[in-house]
Amino acid sequence: MIKNPYLYSYLPLITIILFSLTFGLYSVNEAVILFRKIGVYGGMREFLSEVQMRVLLLIVFSTLYFMVFSALKLIGETIHNVGMLFFTKDSIDSAINKTRGGSIIFFFGSLLSVVGVTNSYILVAIFIATAFIYFIYVTYKMSDVISFGAVLGVMLFEIVIWAVILALLAYTIFKLYNGIVSSLPFN
């Protein structure tokens, strides 16, 4: 029996779309609540019906989340492949082929995210848990093909790079926030 290596190739796109839609639906509900609190909702209702406004907001938020999740996927794959380049001597792509089926983990995580569409903590927890389970799966599958030292090196490389990226992002956000707050005319 011939197994097609591209069997799961469509799952990352579907996964990103599903995660984008669930995060977008949550953001739409929160945006409508915010618009009502600040008094903009009535003005928006003069131009758009409730359904039109929600669909427009869903398109905007889902597109933004789609871009974020696509960038995370690109960055994650690049970090993983660079780690594999540094720590393995895999010349026939056996480690990459063994871990390809892991995209189904993210697919089921994106399906599960529908449960948390009303709570941001549940949505983020499902996304982080899915990423962690995928990380464990990839590590386990790689250990069949490459040495323990190489697996450890790849894992540590990925953890350190993600920690540096997140620390730089947090630092930038805090610097931007402090710059904005210090420029406000409060006494």
Side-chain angles (χ1 to χ4, degrees), residues 21-185:
L21 282 174
T22 55
F23 276 79
L25 283 170
Y26 173 77
S27 297
V28 166
N29 292 333
E30 291 299 310
V32 168
I33 291 169
L34 176 68
F35 292 160
R36 285 187 176 144
K37 281 183 183 175
I38 62 175
V40 177
Y41 183 77
M44 292 179 73
R45 284 292 311 231
E46 291 179 14
F47 297 105
L48 301 169
S49 70
E50 174 79 17
V51 173
Q52 289 173 331
M53 182 174 55
R54 285 185 177 269
V55 168
L56 176 67
L57 288 172
L58 180 63
I59 290 170
V60 169
F61 284 125
S62 293
T63 302
L64 291 174
Y65 285 119
F66 185 87
M67 289 187 283
V68 168
F69 290 132
S70 296
L72 285 174
K73 181 184 180 335
L74 177 66
I75 292 168
E77 281 187 2
T78 303
I79 290 170
H80 178 73
N81 289 338
V82 169
M84 294 293 285
L85 172 70
F86 287 155
F87 295 102
T88 66
K89 294 178 176 122
D90 189 15
S91 61
I92 55 172
D93 292 338
S94 56
I96 290 175
N97 289 334
K98 281 212 143 281
T99 61
R100 232 179 230 188
S103 60
I104 201 160
I105 294 169
F106 268 106
F107 175 71
F108 283 121
S110 66
L111 288 176
L112 186 63
S113 70
V114 172
V115 172
V117 81
T118 58
N119 189 330
S120 64
Y121 295 118
I122 294 174
L123 276 175
V124 172
I126 289 171
F127 181 76
I128 291 172
T130 303
F132 182 72
I133 292 168
Y134 177 78
F135 180 72
I136 297 298
Y137 171 81
V138 167
T139 303
Y140 174 73
K141 284 297 195 177
M142 282 188 329
S143 68
D144 291 344
V145 181
I146 60 179
S147 70
F148 176 75
V151 171
L152 190 63
V154 171
M155 283 176 35
L156 289 175
F157 179 78
E158 289 183 18
I159 290 169
V160 167
I161 294 297
W162 277 111
V164 167
I165 288 172
L166 292 175
L168 286 173
L169 183 64
Y171 176 76
T172 304
I173 289 171
F174 285 130
K175 286 295 276 184
L176 181 64
Y177 175 77
N178 285 335
I180 291 171
V181 168
S182 66
S183 69
L184 293 175

